[in-house]
Amino acid sequence: MLRKLLLTSVITAFALAGKTAPVTSEPYSDVKAHIEKEIVFMNKSYKEYGVSVKNRKVGLDNQSYSLVASPIVIDKNTSIDSLGLVGLKINNDMNYTTDGYNSTMYLTALPKDMNLTKDEQKLLTHLVKDKTIEVYTNYNIKTKEFKTTLKDINETTPEAIIKISGINIDGLFDIDKPEKQIINLSIGDLNIKAKGAKFKGEHLNLKNAFIKTESVLNKNSYDVVYKSGMELLDSNLEGKSLHVEKANIDVKIGNIDAKAYEEISKLAQENPNIGLEDPKLQALVATVVSNGVFLEIEDLSAVNIIDNKKAVGGFKINVKLTIDKDPKIAQLISVNPMMALSALNLDARIELSKANYKTILKTPRGAMLAMLPPKTEKDNFVYTIKYSKSKLIVNGMPLN
């Protein structure tokens, strides 16, 4: 039940992508032109997601429309529901401001095929009817800055106790330049407890979670930075429990060829359905790889994990993967992507708590760790791994 509830709650936020801005002189004309461009962008994605703009009404200083999920029509006899969202309806009421708009989005109808029990249907119908899930957005068409807030929820129903607070998304987004963006998501507290004998004990508690993404332009290259973390995740769903304390992940993809990156963003904007089999996209990706791109996991860690009441412990991982800058690599990749391994370099450090180490050893693949004596630092087991020029070294020991 809780998974379905969460899916429905999150769907509202999916419609918040897409911002931009042209210019004229009548009142609010630039704001209207901007919104028009947003709507064209959203309707373009119909072929992939089946969501389009319907029931649009435009006033002097406001407008409204609905985002409706419909079957994707393949031909006269065939249609599909690719995401299982057919029937979903989200209303968006917008008021113009001098430099942009304020909008309120809320669910008005749920997907038809959700396989709900009577209790689940009752709960979700209540949330929709009372506009419990409501999202507010302010967007500035000049600065491209936006701020989005989910209305705090404090609901007690016969099926569940739902408390959600402090969910905000802010940053910078420009449809015309999607390669330059900043997005920050934060969740203060999300707490859902099921009621009733059937779901007794099911719960989900998430505290102080965040996600940050940013594209940073250097002289001729981009760095894409991704950071996320949470203070606590505690759940018991469908008989499976998970407890995670202070988890974190910081990732950077760096030295991305700026021109190729912008072309990839443009291609994705023009064709949301584009896949890696597209020749033009393949050529651009090969250009990015041959320019000395690198992937760095600066921090992947958790202080403590308990999985189904079994102590797993904590861990900390740092990894840097680089590919030699060499124009020939693009040609090699076009013949066989695996050829990139010859130009790959790896520098990693893995730190495991004793509990985590013992847990991994019990798995079939993890048992191989017993063959590699770890270093010990502050009661933790440490592995340093280096790979370059097809040579692998673990804790100073050559393995090939």
Side-chain angles (χ1 to χ4, degrees), residues 367-386:
M368 294 176 64
L369 280 178
M371 300 168 60
L372 305 171
K375 295 179 181 178
T376 305
E377 292 183 15
K378 297 179 182 177
D379 291 329
N380 290 333
F381 294 118
V382 176
Y383 291 92
T384 57
I385 304 169
K386 295 182 183 294

PDB file of all heavy atoms in Angstrom, residues 367-386:
ATOM      1  N   ALA A 367      33.006 -13.711  -1.202  1.00  0.00           N
ATOM      2  CA  ALA A 367      33.946 -14.663  -0.607  1.00  0.00           C
ATOM      3  C   ALA A 367      35.345 -14.522  -1.196  1.00  0.00           C
ATOM      4  O   ALA A 367      36.343 -14.892  -0.563  1.00  0.00           O
ATOM      5  CB  ALA A 367      33.434 -16.081  -0.811  1.00  0.00           C
ATOM      6  N   MET A 368      35.442 -13.954  -2.387  1.00  0.00           N
ATOM      7  CA  MET A 368      36.749 -13.746  -3.018  1.00  0.00           C
ATOM      8  C   MET A 368      37.612 -12.772  -2.225  1.00  0.00           C
ATOM      9  O   MET A 368      38.840 -12.787  -2.333  1.00  0.00           O
ATOM     10  CB  MET A 368      36.556 -13.214  -4.449  1.00  0.00           C
ATOM     11  CG  MET A 368      35.897 -14.227  -5.395  1.00  0.00           C
ATOM     12  SD  MET A 368      35.584 -13.509  -7.012  1.00  0.00           S
ATOM     13  CE  MET A 368      37.265 -13.179  -7.557  1.00  0.00           C
ATOM     14  N   LEU A 369      36.967 -11.918  -1.384  1.00  0.00           N
ATOM     15  CA  LEU A 369      37.731 -10.972  -0.571  1.00  0.00           C
ATOM     16  C   LEU A 369      38.701 -11.687   0.367  1.00  0.00           C
ATOM     17  O   LEU A 369      39.736 -11.141   0.742  1.00  0.00           O
ATOM     18  CB  LEU A 369      36.790 -10.086   0.253  1.00  0.00           C
ATOM     19  CG  LEU A 369      36.138  -8.897  -0.453  1.00  0.00           C
ATOM     20  CD1 LEU A 369      35.214  -8.167   0.505  1.00  0.00           C
ATOM     21  CD2 LEU A 369      37.194  -7.946  -0.995  1.00  0.00           C
ATOM     22  N   ALA A 370      38.346 -12.908   0.778  1.00  0.00           N
ATOM     23  CA  ALA A 370      39.192 -13.650   1.708  1.00  0.00           C
ATOM     24  C   ALA A 370      40.570 -13.919   1.105  1.00  0.00           C
ATOM     25  O   ALA A 370      41.554 -14.137   1.831  1.00  0.00           O
ATOM     26  CB  ALA A 370      38.515 -14.968   2.082  1.00  0.00           C
ATOM     27  N   MET A 371      40.661 -13.902  -0.239  1.00  0.00           N
ATOM     28  CA  MET A 371      41.937 -14.133  -0.916  1.00  0.00           C
ATOM     29  C   MET A 371      42.814 -12.883  -0.938  1.00  0.00           C
ATOM     30  O   MET A 371      43.998 -12.954  -1.255  1.00  0.00           O
ATOM     31  CB  MET A 371      41.673 -14.587  -2.358  1.00  0.00           C
ATOM     32  CG  MET A 371      40.859 -15.884  -2.446  1.00  0.00           C
ATOM     33  SD  MET A 371      40.289 -16.183  -4.143  1.00  0.00           S
ATOM     34  CE  MET A 371      41.864 -16.281  -5.009  1.00  0.00           C
ATOM     35  N   LEU A 372      42.216 -11.721  -0.575  1.00  0.00           N
ATOM     36  CA  LEU A 372      42.948 -10.454  -0.624  1.00  0.00           C
ATOM     37  C   LEU A 372      43.065  -9.889   0.785  1.00  0.00           C
ATOM     38  O   LEU A 372      42.109  -9.326   1.315  1.00  0.00           O
ATOM     39  CB  LEU A 372      42.204  -9.447  -1.519  1.00  0.00           C
ATOM     40  CG  LEU A 372      41.903  -9.915  -2.945  1.00  0.00           C
ATOM     41  CD1 LEU A 372      40.978  -8.922  -3.622  1.00  0.00           C
ATOM     42  CD2 LEU A 372      43.193 -10.067  -3.735  1.00  0.00           C
ATOM     43  N   PRO A 373      44.204 -10.052   1.427  1.00  0.00           N
ATOM     44  CA  PRO A 373      44.343  -9.564   2.805  1.00  0.00           C
ATOM     45  C   PRO A 373      44.171  -8.043   2.885  1.00  0.00           C
ATOM     46  O   PRO A 373      44.866  -7.302   2.192  1.00  0.00           O
ATOM     47  CB  PRO A 373      45.772  -9.978   3.192  1.00  0.00           C
ATOM     48  CG  PRO A 373      46.473 -10.215   1.897  1.00  0.00           C
ATOM     49  CD  PRO A 373      45.441 -10.667   0.925  1.00  0.00           C
ATOM     50  N   PRO A 374      43.223  -7.569   3.713  1.00  0.00           N
ATOM     51  CA  PRO A 374      42.999  -6.126   3.820  1.00  0.00           C
ATOM     52  C   PRO A 374      43.964  -5.467   4.799  1.00  0.00           C
ATOM     53  O   PRO A 374      44.581  -6.128   5.635  1.00  0.00           O
ATOM     54  CB  PRO A 374      41.570  -6.058   4.353  1.00  0.00           C
ATOM     55  CG  PRO A 374      41.438  -7.283   5.189  1.00  0.00           C
ATOM     56  CD  PRO A 374      42.269  -8.336   4.512  1.00  0.00           C
ATOM     57  N   LYS A 375      44.070  -4.139   4.678  1.00  0.00           N
ATOM     58  CA  LYS A 375      44.766  -3.363   5.700  1.00  0.00           C
ATOM     59  C   LYS A 375      43.760  -3.055   6.803  1.00  0.00           C
ATOM     60  O   LYS A 375      42.551  -3.069   6.578  1.00  0.00           O
ATOM     61  CB  LYS A 375      45.262  -2.045   5.095  1.00  0.00           C
ATOM     62  CG  LYS A 375      46.319  -2.216   4.015  1.00  0.00           C
ATOM     63  CD  LYS A 375      46.712  -0.846   3.475  1.00  0.00           C
ATOM     64  CE  LYS A 375      47.758  -0.965   2.373  1.00  0.00           C
ATOM     65  NZ  LYS A 375      48.116   0.351   1.789  1.00  0.00           N
ATOM     66  N   THR A 376      44.263  -2.791   7.985  1.00  0.00           N
ATOM     67  CA  THR A 376      43.375  -2.437   9.096  1.00  0.00           C
ATOM     68  C   THR A 376      43.659  -1.015   9.546  1.00  0.00           C
ATOM     69  O   THR A 376      44.803  -0.653   9.808  1.00  0.00           O
ATOM     70  CB  THR A 376      43.577  -3.386  10.293  1.00  0.00           C
ATOM     71  OG1 THR A 376      43.394  -4.736   9.844  1.00  0.00           O
ATOM     72  CG2 THR A 376      42.573  -3.095  11.386  1.00  0.00           C
ATOM     73  N   GLU A 377      42.598  -0.201   9.602  1.00  0.00           N
ATOM     74  CA  GLU A 377      42.713   1.185  10.055  1.00  0.00           C
ATOM     75  C   GLU A 377      41.514   1.507  10.943  1.00  0.00           C
ATOM     76  O   GLU A 377      40.376   1.416  10.495  1.00  0.00           O
ATOM     77  CB  GLU A 377      42.749   2.154   8.869  1.00  0.00           C
ATOM     78  CG  GLU A 377      44.011   2.049   8.015  1.00  0.00           C
ATOM     79  CD  GLU A 377      44.029   3.081   6.894  1.00  0.00           C
ATOM     80  OE1 GLU A 377      43.224   4.040   6.951  1.00  0.00           O
ATOM     81  OE2 GLU A 377      44.837   2.926   5.958  1.00  0.00           O
ATOM     82  N   LYS A 378      41.788   1.868  12.188  1.00  0.00           N
ATOM     83  CA  LYS A 378      40.733   2.236  13.141  1.00  0.00           C
ATOM     84  C   LYS A 378      39.615   1.195  13.198  1.00  0.00           C
ATOM     85  O   LYS A 378      38.435   1.510  13.082  1.00  0.00           O
ATOM     86  CB  LYS A 378      40.144   3.613  12.771  1.00  0.00           C
ATOM     87  CG  LYS A 378      41.151   4.747  12.842  1.00  0.00           C
ATOM     88  CD  LYS A 378      40.506   6.068  12.435  1.00  0.00           C
ATOM     89  CE  LYS A 378      41.520   7.191  12.466  1.00  0.00           C
ATOM     90  NZ  LYS A 378      40.944   8.476  12.011  1.00  0.00           N
ATOM     91  N   ASP A 379      39.990  -0.050  13.313  1.00  0.00           N
ATOM     92  CA  ASP A 379      39.038  -1.169  13.413  1.00  0.00           C
ATOM     93  C   ASP A 379      38.233  -1.399  12.147  1.00  0.00           C
ATOM     94  O   ASP A 379      37.236  -2.127  12.156  1.00  0.00           O
ATOM     95  CB  ASP A 379      38.075  -0.966  14.596  1.00  0.00           C
ATOM     96  CG  ASP A 379      38.789  -1.085  15.934  1.00  0.00           C
ATOM     97  OD1 ASP A 379      39.778  -1.851  16.007  1.00  0.00           O
ATOM     98  OD2 ASP A 379      38.381  -0.411  16.884  1.00  0.00           O
ATOM     99  N   ASN A 380      38.629  -0.764  11.038  1.00  0.00           N
ATOM    100  CA  ASN A 380      37.970  -1.000   9.752  1.00  0.00           C
ATOM    101  C   ASN A 380      38.919  -1.710   8.803  1.00  0.00           C
ATOM    102  O   ASN A 380      40.149  -1.612   8.935  1.00  0.00           O
ATOM    103  CB  ASN A 380      37.518   0.318   9.128  1.00  0.00           C
ATOM    104  CG  ASN A 380      36.360   0.941   9.875  1.00  0.00           C
ATOM    105  OD1 ASN A 380      35.574   0.252  10.517  1.00  0.00           O
ATOM    106  ND2 ASN A 380      36.245   2.257   9.805  1.00  0.00           N
ATOM    107  N   PHE A 381      38.375  -2.433   7.833  1.00  0.00           N
ATOM    108  CA  PHE A 381      39.178  -3.089   6.812  1.00  0.00           C
ATOM    109  C   PHE A 381      39.239  -2.198   5.569  1.00  0.00           C
ATOM    110  O   PHE A 381      38.211  -1.684   5.107  1.00  0.00           O
ATOM    111  CB  PHE A 381      38.578  -4.455   6.451  1.00  0.00           C
ATOM    112  CG  PHE A 381      38.616  -5.445   7.570  1.00  0.00           C
ATOM    113  CD1 PHE A 381      37.461  -5.977   8.103  1.00  0.00           C
ATOM    114  CD2 PHE A 381      39.843  -5.844   8.108  1.00  0.00           C
ATOM    115  CE1 PHE A 381      37.495  -6.892   9.140  1.00  0.00           C
ATOM    116  CE2 PHE A 381      39.899  -6.771   9.140  1.00  0.00           C
ATOM    117  CZ  PHE A 381      38.734  -7.285   9.661  1.00  0.00           C
ATOM    118  N   VAL A 382      40.456  -2.016   5.041  1.00  0.00           N
ATOM    119  CA  VAL A 382      40.661  -1.080   3.938  1.00  0.00           C
ATOM    120  C   VAL A 382      41.319  -1.779   2.749  1.00  0.00           C
ATOM    121  O   VAL A 382      42.266  -2.548   2.904  1.00  0.00           O
ATOM    122  CB  VAL A 382      41.550   0.115   4.385  1.00  0.00           C
ATOM    123  CG1 VAL A 382      41.844   1.031   3.213  1.00  0.00           C
ATOM    124  CG2 VAL A 382      40.868   0.891   5.506  1.00  0.00           C
ATOM    125  N   TYR A 383      40.794  -1.480   1.541  1.00  0.00           N
ATOM    126  CA  TYR A 383      41.398  -1.948   0.292  1.00  0.00           C
ATOM    127  C   TYR A 383      41.704  -0.731  -0.574  1.00  0.00           C
ATOM    128  O   TYR A 383      40.845   0.132  -0.782  1.00  0.00           O
ATOM    129  CB  TYR A 383      40.444  -2.865  -0.479  1.00  0.00           C
ATOM    130  CG  TYR A 383      40.208  -4.198   0.170  1.00  0.00           C
ATOM    131  CD1 TYR A 383      39.145  -4.386   1.051  1.00  0.00           C
ATOM    132  CD2 TYR A 383      41.041  -5.280  -0.100  1.00  0.00           C
ATOM    133  CE1 TYR A 383      38.919  -5.608   1.648  1.00  0.00           C
ATOM    134  CE2 TYR A 383      40.826  -6.515   0.499  1.00  0.00           C
ATOM    135  CZ  TYR A 383      39.771  -6.667   1.365  1.00  0.00           C
ATOM    136  OH  TYR A 383      39.557  -7.897   1.964  1.00  0.00           O
ATOM    137  N   THR A 384      42.951  -0.660  -1.066  1.00  0.00           N
ATOM    138  CA  THR A 384      43.284   0.348  -2.071  1.00  0.00           C
ATOM    139  C   THR A 384      43.487  -0.391  -3.396  1.00  0.00           C
ATOM    140  O   THR A 384      44.211  -1.386  -3.456  1.00  0.00           O
ATOM    141  CB  THR A 384      44.568   1.121  -1.697  1.00  0.00           C
ATOM    142  OG1 THR A 384      45.650   0.194  -1.537  1.00  0.00           O
ATOM    143  CG2 THR A 384      44.369   1.899  -0.416  1.00  0.00           C
ATOM    144  N   ILE A 385      42.834   0.101  -4.422  1.00  0.00           N
ATOM    145  CA  ILE A 385      42.835  -0.587  -5.724  1.00  0.00           C
ATOM    146  C   ILE A 385      43.308   0.375  -6.811  1.00  0.00           C
ATOM    147  O   ILE A 385      42.824   1.503  -6.909  1.00  0.00           O
ATOM    148  CB  ILE A 385      41.411  -1.091  -6.071  1.00  0.00           C
ATOM    149  CG1 ILE A 385      40.888  -1.991  -4.944  1.00  0.00           C
ATOM    150  CG2 ILE A 385      41.401  -1.826  -7.397  1.00  0.00           C
ATOM    151  CD1 ILE A 385      39.408  -2.306  -5.062  1.00  0.00           C
ATOM    152  N   LYS A 386      44.266  -0.078  -7.614  1.00  0.00           N
ATOM    153  CA  LYS A 386      44.766   0.726  -8.726  1.00  0.00           C
ATOM    154  C   LYS A 386      44.766  -0.117 -10.003  1.00  0.00           C
ATOM    155  O   LYS A 386      45.187  -1.269  -9.981  1.00  0.00           O
ATOM    156  CB  LYS A 386      46.174   1.248  -8.437  1.00  0.00           C
ATOM    157  CG  LYS A 386      46.233   2.225  -7.267  1.00  0.00           C
ATOM    158  CD  LYS A 386      47.642   2.750  -7.060  1.00  0.00           C
ATOM    159  CE  LYS A 386      47.709   3.675  -5.847  1.00  0.00           C
ATOM    160  NZ  LYS A 386      46.932   4.918  -6.057  1.00  0.00           N
TER     161      LYS A 386
END
